[in-house]
Amino acid sequence: MGPLLHFVSKSILVALAGAGLGLLATWSALERGASLEIVEAGPWRAAPRAALREADPYTRAGRARSGEIPMAPAEGLAFFASRDDEGAPLDARCDYAIASPVPAARFWTLAPLDAQGAMTATANGRMALTSAQIVRDEAGRFEIVASRQARAGNWLALPAQGPFMLALRLYDAPASAQPAAAARAAMPSLRKGRCA
Amino acid sequence: MKAPRAADIRQGEGWMAALGYGLATLCVAGVAHLASVLALPHLASRDSFARIAQAVPHLHRFALLPQPAPGAELTPRQDPMLARAACRFDLAGGPVRLRVDLSQLDGLLLLSFHDRQGSTFYAMTDRGALRGRIDIRVVTPRQLEDIQAEDPDDEIPQDLRLVAPGAEGFILAGSLALDGADMESARGRLSLVACASEGDGGAGGG
């Protein structure tokens, strides 16, 4: 093999390996839901600007791939949690207590999703709780029990089994203007109870 | 000190070459990674625009989107308590006008305006209504100039003009159901939102 042929074949190898590595990195970043603009508060995570044209390139690529239409700041703010306050993954075999406060909002909804973020069948067929359905004490405080078994009071029905996520969506929320500060100030606690 | 042997020199050159090829591979990988991330929004075939187009074949008329169910979600991670309707638009045929009859509305109404990549270029809720009305014209920069040229000098325009980043896009309207039994009313409330093309041959509203 002449030196030129040697160089050309090595270059082709470099180009192929590089392209493969680069695409693998893209795939893995999008699979992990990589985003450069995340607000975190305990186990709750939000991407307040994900809907916008100015969102970071990873968020925009992920959105193009998934087809998701995130909430814009002018509409509200969506938080997702896949772990409890202790950092343990949410598991439908366990009960969870979700206690106030919730950031100020005209309305909010709380919905269970499967571990991939897809809608999943629940014990009572209901897909979410809304702020209008919550029973509160005199001070306006409340506790929601998330369980696959029926509960008296504020019950969020969970999927039959497996790891799951929670989505807390705030509508007409001042929090969407200052998401980081609002999240630090008032996010609901998420404590694990008994496990089957 | 001994003089380096020819074999050592050849081995050293081999390491240098391997390092060079390794660095070159990493550079190519970096470029491929960045290029693919930036290109994806233009290449994806199942993005939100395509999904809305699949559910709403016609232009310039709101259509209710199917209520999501486990295993049947038009777009992922949407709020199951939200009833949604979409109006696809193409400004090539003229500006598109969106009006909401707020006198009949109770409850939360969300409006979001999306470009060809699905990005939101404007959004509001019914709280953002000016003087008790929502009257929005989605326009191209050229159409905005034409409209402004026809504006009377002594009046403030009553409608909000939104310059869209491109000719194609869609408008989403959302209405929140407060519980399962409220879902039918939430879907009904979306009939208060109307979208129409103002082009010469612009057909109908709804």
Side-chain angles (χ1 to χ4, degrees):
Chain A
M1 203 154 55
L4 180 65
L5 194 62
H6 182 81
F7 178 74
V8 167
S9 64
K10 279 273 174 61
S11 300
I12 291 173
L13 206 64
V14 161
L16 287 178
L21 263 179
L23 294 179
L24 192 71
T26 301
W27 178 82
S28 119
L30 298 185
E31 200 63 18
R32 282 185 290 116
S35 172
L36 304 180
E37 298 169 299
I38 293 282
V39 171
E40 279 184 287
W44 299 99
R45 292 162 65 86
R49 291 159 49 80
L52 304 181
R53 289 166 56 77
E54 306 86 67
D56 68 82
Y58 287 96
T59 302
R60 276 184 286 140
R63 217 172 54 194
R65 185 162 163 270
S66 72
E68 184 183 349
I69 305 174
M71 215 190 286
E75 300 173 282
L77 187 59
F79 284 94
F80 295 90
S82 50
R83 294 175 178 276
D84 64 18
D85 283 346
E86 307 291 317
L90 299 178
D91 188 322
R93 284 174 307 184
C94 302
D95 292 353
Y96 292 90
I98 301 148
S100 54
V102 165
R106 194 164 142 211
F107 297 101
W108 53 259
T109 67
L110 181 66
L113 308 167
D114 76 9
Q116 281 72 48
M119 195 178 276
T120 171
T122 60
N124 63 355
R126 290 198 203 147
M127 294 304 163
L129 274 180
T130 75
S131 50
Q133 294 173 293
I134 299 296
V135 181
R136 300 157 198 263
D137 70 12
E138 316 80 62
R141 287 174 304 224
F142 63 86
E143 185 174 277
I144 298 166
V145 177
S147 171
R148 53 186 185 178
Q149 254 99 45
R151 292 306 159 99
N154 300 318
W155 174 41
L156 179 71
L158 289 184
Q161 58 182 358
F164 70 97
M165 284 169 62
L166 288 172
L168 176 65
R169 296 181 172 92
L170 313 170
Y171 291 101
D172 254 347
S176 53
Q178 294 285 337
R184 275 196 305 275
M187 284 305 285
S189 62
L190 189 42
R191 290 190 321 276
K192 180 152 58 176
R194 195 180 300 164
C195 296
Chain B
M1 215 158 84
K2 282 197 292 185
R5 287 181 302 160
D8 288 342
I9 292 171
R10 270 204 304 278
Q11 199 183 18
E13 281 174 351
W15 278 111
M16 287 303 287
L19 190 67
Y21 284 124
L23 283 176
T25 306
L26 280 182
C27 285
V28 174
V31 170
H33 175 59
L34 287 180
S36 58
V37 165
L38 293 176
L40 241 164
H42 304 278
L43 301 176
S45 58
R46 292 283 295 149
D47 64 359
S48 52
F49 183 87
R51 287 163 193 250
I52 296 294
Q54 175 201 333
V56 185
H58 49 258
L59 290 174
H60 309 141
R61 193 145 46 85
F62 268 108
L64 280 171
L65 298 181
Q67 226 30 60
E73 295 176 83
L74 184 63
T75 62
R77 293 203 189 191
Q78 60 178 294
D79 192 331
M81 301 309 286
L82 209 56
R84 297 195 306 173
C87 167
R88 289 173 54 215
F89 63 79
D90 186 348
L91 302 179
V96 165
R97 192 156 200 164
L98 177 122
R99 283 189 172 107
V100 184
D101 181 0
L102 283 173
S103 62
Q104 310 271 322
L105 183 85
D106 75 295
L108 173 73
L109 182 77
L110 305 171
L111 290 173
S112 55
F113 297 74
H114 302 263
D115 65 13
R116 177 65 189 81
Q117 269 82 49
S119 294
T120 307
F121 62 88
Y122 186 76
M124 65 182 293
T125 72
D126 55 286
R127 282 268 168 94
L130 291 172
R131 295 178 290 275
R133 57 202 278 165
I134 295 178
D135 184 356
I136 297 174
R137 270 199 269 191
V138 186
V139 295
T140 63
R142 178 75 192 279
Q143 288 161 354
L144 180 64
E145 281 175 27
D146 293 347
I147 291 172
Q148 283 172 339
E150 287 173 22
D151 276 339
D153 288 336
D154 51 352
E155 275 177 47
I156 300 164
Q158 295 294 305
D159 55 332
L160 170 71
R161 286 107 191 231
L162 279 183
V163 176
E168 281 186 291
F170 61 93
I171 307 169
L172 274 188
S175 163
L176 190 74
L178 297 182
D179 54 46
D182 190 34
M183 186 51 81
E184 274 313 302
S185 330
R187 288 172 77 77
R189 287 196 283 273
L190 291 174
S191 65
L192 302 171
V193 187
C195 152
S197 172
E198 295 196 312
D200 295 331

